[in-house]
Amino acid sequence: MIKYSIRRAAASDATELLKLNLEFNKIETPIGHIVSSLSRIDNPETIFVAYSESGLMGFACLQITQSFCYAKPNAQITELFVQPLHRQKGIASQLIRAAEDFLQERNAEELTVLTRKGNKPALAFYRKHDFKKEDELCMRKLIA
C-alpha cells in the first residue's frame, strides 16, 4: 500500500490541483486563479490534499460560513476527489477527518455536503461517515 499524508494545500500545489480539478470537474481553471486563491489570507475556502512522494492524489474543499442567525459557524464540503487509482484506500476518509478536525478547532456546529441523488458510491461513503439525508431541496440560479 502506498504511503500518503494529509495536509492543507499551499500555493505550490496549484499545478497539481489544476490537473486533479480537470480530471474531476472537467474544468481548466486558470493557474493564476488557483495560486491567488491558495495565497489569500482571507480565503473562506480551506483545501486539504492527500499526497505521497509521487504527488497529489486527491483533495477536499471546505467552506466555512458564519451568520448572525447562528451562534456557531457552519461548513460545507464543496468538492471531494480522489484519483480512481487511489480509491478504496481510506484517503477520502482521511480528507473528511482532516476537515472535521479543522472545524472542531473553529467550534463549527454542522458540516454539509451536496452530491447528486444518483451518485450511489458518494451517498454510501457519506452515510458511512455519519452524514444524514435531509429533505431540503437545492435550487440554483445562474447569474450572468
Side-chain angles (χ1 to χ4, degrees):
M1 179 171 276
I2 192 164
K3 289 180 78 173
Y4 67 91
S5 297
I6 306 293
R7 63 170 168 76
R8 285 181 66 178
S12 59
D13 295 319
T15 301
E16 287 187 83
L17 282 169
L18 170 71
K19 291 176 190 174
L20 289 175
N21 189 48
L22 184 59
E23 185 177 349
F24 179 47
N25 287 312
K26 312 297 186 252
I27 297 171
E28 189 165 351
T29 306
I31 191 77
H33 173 76
I34 297 171
V35 171
S36 174
S37 179
L38 291 168
S39 300
R40 282 180 50 197
I41 293 171
D42 64 339
N43 192 345
E45 179 177 57
T46 302
I47 302 159
F48 295 94
V49 293
Y51 68 98
S52 70
E53 61 185 28
S54 61
L56 298 187
M57 306 154 66
F59 64 90
C61 301
L62 182 68
Q63 295 265 347
I64 300 174
T65 57
Q66 180 70 57
S67 169
F68 82 91
C69 296
Y70 307 99
K72 294 182 179 184
N74 291 304
Q76 180 181 17
I77 295 171
T78 58
E79 308 286 341
L80 177 62
F81 175 71
V82 175
Q83 290 179 306
L85 174 67
H86 301 296
R87 291 182 184 163
Q88 302 299 317
K89 298 176 182 173
I91 295 170
S93 295
Q94 290 302 314
L95 287 165
I96 292 284
R97 182 86 227 53
E100 290 174 348
D101 290 346
F102 181 80
L103 291 170
Q104 284 180 343
E105 292 170 6
R106 282 146 187 82
N107 203 28
E109 186 167 68
E110 183 177 73
L111 177 59
T112 61
V113 63
L114 296 176
T115 192
R116 290 184 315 277
K117 286 188 234 179
N119 189 345
K120 291 182 182 182
L123 292 169
F125 172 80
Y126 291 119
R127 277 190 208 104
K128 175 181 151 188
H129 290 280
D130 298 323
F131 284 81
K132 308 290 185 236
K133 183 179 175 195
E134 297 274 324
D135 287 331
E136 292 183 16
L137 173 66
C138 176
M139 298 176 74
R140 183 180 314 257
K141 179 179 180 181
L142 297 178
I143 310 295

